[in-house]
Amino acid sequence: MNKTDRLLAIVLELQRKNVVRAEDLADTFETSVRTIYRDMQALSEAGVPVVGAPGSGYSLMEGYFLPPVSFSVEEAVTLLIGTDLVEQAFDPTYGARAKASQRKLEALLSEPVRQESARVRSAFRLLDTCENTIQGQVLAYMETLRQAILSHQKVRFRYQKSHPGHDGRRESVRDVAPYGLVLARGSWVLLAHCDLRQDIRNFRLSRMSGLTVLADSFTPPDQFQLASYKPQDDRHLLVRIRVNSTIADKVKESNNFFIETMEEHPVGTLVTLRVRQLEEILSWVLGWGAQVVVIEPQSLRDRIREEAEKMLQHY
């Protein structure tokens, strides 16, 4: 980044935030703090009202605003594809706003940039960005949950989940304090504090039913930050399987959450997974049929044999 581009980017960064330290600007633009000091001096000499407070950082004088800047083709394409994703993957309210934002952005572009960005976008197409069940009920739940998160209102829903040692799925009623929504591997997940478990839990929207907003309000914990939150990893059960090389690519493309490593060997591809319980991958392993062999643990080998015998009885 040359000096002119960096000076413009610094002004935009100051405009976006109230106060910014020289050290943070140096990290952002990958330069030295001394260079940032010189940049601030250059901006002041150019008439930009930069205010420096020792020990705090730099800010712009109140009321100063840099007019909109032009977008490059790459920047315009990035933003327009972003609106396409929001329109497709979010609830109807934000979908409509994404469409409106797209029209406004296109109106700001010069004719050459607009034509070139349209040409570049024609080479991209978003398909199946979310699971099929995102349509309909799940989209409605997204909007309800988003409003509950912003208003700090608890919600109640019925939740279906597989339990080890039980046939089929079990349903429970959950009252939760919703903290945020996460799009993980094509599925929308609610991160919330569960009254039943007295801890933070993840809930797939596709497994919910009967969602209602409660009158009870909650106060989010001060230390909680959705962007930096990492759930405790309790996947302590190691599983190793051997995959026939003819389907190794398909196994990799399945993007299974529990896969840790895949290693090519003369006898096939060795796949290592870590799970909380065998039920989490039992159906996935069975789905590959004879193309997959479980190496360990023995308990999973036994389960596969039991399921295979049950299947044989049907034929």
Side-chain angles (χ1 to χ4, degrees):
M1 178 181 291
N2 60 42
K3 182 177 180 179
T4 302
D5 290 340
R6 188 175 65 249
L7 291 176
L8 175 59
I10 287 174
V11 174
L12 293 174
E13 192 72 7
L14 293 173
Q15 187 170 285
R16 189 170 67 92
K17 300 179 180 178
N18 292 328
V19 180
V20 185
R21 299 187 311 151
E23 293 81 1
D24 295 334
L25 289 171
D27 289 340
T28 299
F29 299 109
E30 299 180 348
T31 187
S32 67
V33 174
R34 185 177 294 276
T35 297
I36 296 298
Y37 290 154
R38 290 197 292 265
D39 288 344
M40 291 303 177
Q41 182 64 32
L43 288 172
S44 296
E45 293 174 354
V48 178
V50 177
V51 179
S56 296
Y58 294 98
S59 62
L60 291 175
M61 185 177 294
E62 187 175 355
Y64 180 82
F65 182 77
L66 185 69
V69 296
S70 59
F71 293 100
S72 67
V73 172
E74 292 78 10
E75 291 168 339
V77 169
T78 300
L79 292 173
L80 290 170
I81 290 178
T83 61
D84 290 337
L85 177 61
V86 171
E87 182 183 3
Q88 195 173 130
F90 285 66
D91 60 73
T93 298
Y94 271 102
R97 291 173 182 172
K99 197 68 176 178
S101 299
Q102 186 178 104
R103 289 194 294 268
K104 290 179 181 179
L105 177 59
E106 289 174 335
L108 291 174
L109 301 177
S110 65
E111 184 60 26
V113 173
R114 183 163 55 248
Q115 291 181 357
E116 182 63 13
S117 64
R119 188 183 72 84
V120 175
R121 285 178 67 208
S122 67
F124 296 90
R125 186 180 179 187
L126 300 178
L127 289 176
D128 297 329
T129 55
C130 299
E131 57 185 6
N132 292 333
T133 52
I134 197 64
Q135 303 301 325
Q137 190 68 68
V138 175
L139 282 174
Y141 283 177
M142 277 186 61
E143 187 158 15
T144 300
L145 289 169
R146 177 170 54 80
Q147 294 172 356
I149 292 167
L150 297 177
S151 61
H152 297 164
Q153 297 294 125
K154 285 190 172 184
V155 297
R156 173 178 295 162
F157 51 84
R158 294 188 300 276
Y159 195 68
Q160 290 187 344
K161 188 176 181 180
S162 299
H163 284 254
H166 296 85
D167 293 332
R169 305 173 73 84
R170 299 186 98 189
E171 186 177 84
S172 60
V173 176
R174 303 296 183 100
D175 289 0
V176 306
Y179 289 169
L181 289 164
V182 179
L183 182 60
R185 298 176 182 267
S187 300
W188 278 104
V189 177
L190 173 68
L191 191 67
H193 185 276
C194 178
D195 288 355
L196 179 64
R197 304 302 183 193
Q198 285 299 299
D199 199 1
I200 297 177
R201 290 288 190 268
N202 298 328
F203 302 96
R204 284 185 181 236
L205 271 62
S206 58
R207 297 178 182 175
M208 294 181 183
S209 62
L211 175 67
T212 57
V213 179
L214 303 177
D216 299 339
S217 60
F218 69 93
T219 301
D222 294 335
Q223 71 276 13
F224 179 82
Q225 295 292 333
L226 181 62
S228 58
Y229 174 77
K230 292 184 179 180
Q232 181 180 359
D233 191 351
D234 56 353
R235 298 174 297 140
H236 303 307
L237 185 57
L238 190 69
V239 174
R240 297 180 70 235
I241 63 176
R242 185 174 70 248
V243 175
N244 191 309
S245 298
T246 58
I247 65 163
D249 288 342
K250 293 182 179 179
V251 171
K252 185 176 182 179
E253 291 167 0
S254 70
N255 203 26
N256 189 292
F257 172 77
F258 301 105
I259 292 179
E260 292 278 295
T261 61
M262 294 185 65
E263 301 175 0
E264 297 293 337
H265 287 266
V267 295
T269 302
L270 298 182
V271 181
T272 301
L273 307 94
R274 280 194 307 118
V275 299
R276 290 177 291 268
Q277 56 195 35
L278 297 180
E279 284 73 15
E280 291 175 321
I281 59 167
L282 179 61
S283 297
W284 182 80
V285 173
L286 285 168
W288 299 109
Q291 301 293 331
V292 166
V293 176
V294 175
I295 300 174
E296 60 174 332
Q298 183 61 43
S299 56
L300 181 56
R301 291 173 60 88
D302 294 339
R303 289 294 306 277
I304 295 293
R305 185 183 299 108
E306 291 172 4
E307 293 297 323
E309 290 174 351
K310 291 178 182 178
M311 293 173 63
L312 185 60
Q313 292 176 3
H314 293 300
Y315 297 95

